[in-house]
Amino acid sequence: MPIPCRMLAVLALLSLHTVTADAQTRDVAGSRDYPGIGRFAGSVITGYVMKDFDAARMQAAAFKDGQPVDARRLEGRVFRIAYRTNPGPSILEVSRNFETQLAKAGFETLLACDTDACGAIPFTEAIDTLPVPQMWVDGFNYRYYAGRKTEGGRETFASVIVSQNNQDITAQVTVAELGAIANKMVDAAAMAKGLGETGHIALYGIYFDTDKAVLKPESRPTLEQIAKLLSSQPQLNVFIVGHTDSQGAYEYNLDLSTRRAEAVAAELVKSFRIAQPRLRTAGVGLLAPVGSNTSDAGRALNRRVELVAP
């Protein structure tokens, strides 16, 4: 029987993961526990991804005859948090602690199962996990939980998968806060209006990966609108200003925000033939927040690019 591609990739990265896990003694930069859930004592965060809008795959029932019975695609704000716990506790102990905490937080159980009862290896290939070395799942030894809660008319789903790598216990919490996608598209007319009325406008349709200054393809619609604005007003020059949240060092955020602004200007020159002298760039890091940096929602507002009129 051929080995699934995912298992081959996992086996190929085993040695890398072991070295990384042994060396890590603190949480990855910018990570945090999900409020109200927390972590098992003695764990460190090995992987953290939060998206304001994304899709998460969760299983609300065990597999039957190797096939999903109740697979759910959940859209909204999604948190994926991976942990490693040093040798000592069992998979069951770590999982039950998470399950108890989730029950206290108001989640009702949809599914709680161990390896064979869940569906063995095929089951693990149908759920979301961060890649090795951030998260390790042994398809022959794991426990899975999925739960749901409704509060104030809002649905939230959570899943936990707990497994083992050598003697370390690995766990991933995935939380999906269901919600419609926010309209972050600002067209050329809205940009012109914002510049005319307040002298600046925040753009949330320009995307970068965490700690990166490389534009993602999803940014193109907003870049097209910036180019449309500048092409329709040949006399208009703008500052492109990068902003970050407060996570990370002050100097690092200043540099990152500057590089992101420069990336936007470079793309406008390269792909849309906007004259370079019309675009000046700056980065102010965390110095001009528009939301509270104590919450994920506020930090999301603070991570932005702005157009500013001279």
Side-chain angles (χ1 to χ4, degrees):
M1 179 178 178
I3 300 175
C5 292
R6 181 173 176 178
M7 288 299 294
L8 287 172
V10 165
L11 291 171
L13 289 167
L14 173 58
S15 60
L16 171 63
H17 171 70
T18 302
V19 171
T20 303
D22 289 343
Q24 184 174 345
T25 58
R26 62 182 64 184
D27 295 347
V28 296
S31 65
R32 63 197 63 85
D33 298 324
Y34 187 84
I37 297 179
R39 71 180 75 186
F40 188 83
S43 299
V44 295
I45 298 179
T46 54
Y48 181 90
V49 176
M50 189 283 287
K51 298 290 185 183
D52 290 327
F53 188 83
D54 201 0
R57 294 180 300 161
M58 291 189 186
Q59 301 297 327
F63 273 28
K64 183 176 182 180
D65 299 325
Q67 298 297 319
V69 173
D70 189 355
R72 305 194 183 189
R73 186 178 188 275
L74 309 170
E75 293 189 353
R77 178 174 292 169
V78 177
F79 298 78
R80 296 177 176 91
I81 312 169
Y83 297 92
R84 177 181 58 80
T85 301
N86 288 329
S90 66
I91 290 175
L92 183 61
E93 181 184 4
V94 174
S95 183
R96 284 279 170 80
N97 270 267
F98 274 113
E99 292 168 33
T100 299
Q101 190 64 24
L102 285 159
K104 290 179 180 178
F107 286 86
E108 58 175 316
T109 301
L110 298 174
L111 174 63
C113 58
D114 298 306
T115 310
D116 292 334
C118 291
I121 291 174
F123 185 90
T124 65
E125 295 178 337
I127 60 175
D128 279 344
T129 55
L130 293 171
V132 173
Q134 297 176 63
M135 178 59 189
W136 171 272
V137 178
D138 180 349
F140 298 96
N141 190 19
Y142 64 88
R143 181 171 175 81
Y144 181 82
Y145 166 92
R148 169 187 175 275
K149 78 171 181 178
T150 302
E151 188 173 52
R154 183 180 190 180
E155 279 189 301
T156 301
F157 288 79
S159 69
V160 181
I161 184 159
V162 182
S163 190
Q164 188 169 340
N165 175 30
N166 294 327
Q167 298 302 310
D168 293 337
I169 301 300
T170 58
Q172 180 174 315
V173 175
T174 302
V175 179
E177 301 172 349
L178 269 56
I181 188 169
N183 182 8
K184 294 185 176 180
M185 278 299 299
V186 178
D187 63 17
M191 293 178 193
K193 185 173 184 289
L195 291 174
E197 292 181 351
T198 64
H200 68 100
I201 186 165
L203 305 177
Y204 292 97
I206 295 178
Y207 301 98
F208 302 91
D209 284 326
T210 302
D211 292 336
K212 299 292 178 60
V214 178
L215 283 162
K216 299 182 74 172
E218 304 94 286
S219 305
R220 187 170 180 85
T222 298
L223 292 170
E224 288 175 344
Q225 293 301 311
I226 298 173
K228 182 179 178 181
L229 167 68
L230 294 170
S231 297
S232 67
Q233 299 187 35
Q235 79 288 353
L236 178 63
N237 300 329
V238 295
F239 286 99
I240 298 172
V241 183
H243 297 257
T244 69
D245 59 27
S246 64
Q247 303 298 304
Y250 171 75
E251 293 82 3
Y252 177 83
N253 281 324
L254 280 178
D255 177 67
L256 177 63
S257 61
T258 299
R259 289 187 287 118
R260 286 180 170 179
E262 290 170 348
V264 173
E267 186 63 20
L268 289 170
V269 172
K270 176 184 175 182
S271 298
F272 299 95
R273 299 183 178 180
I274 302 301
Q276 178 70 60
R278 300 180 63 190
L279 308 170
R280 297 180 64 182
T281 60
V284 297
L286 52 84
L287 295 178
V290 292
S292 171
N293 277 305
T294 62
S295 70
D296 287 309
R299 285 188 290 269
L301 289 173
N302 293 334
R303 296 188 296 269
R304 67 198 189 278
V305 171
E306 290 199 1
L307 294 185
V308 178

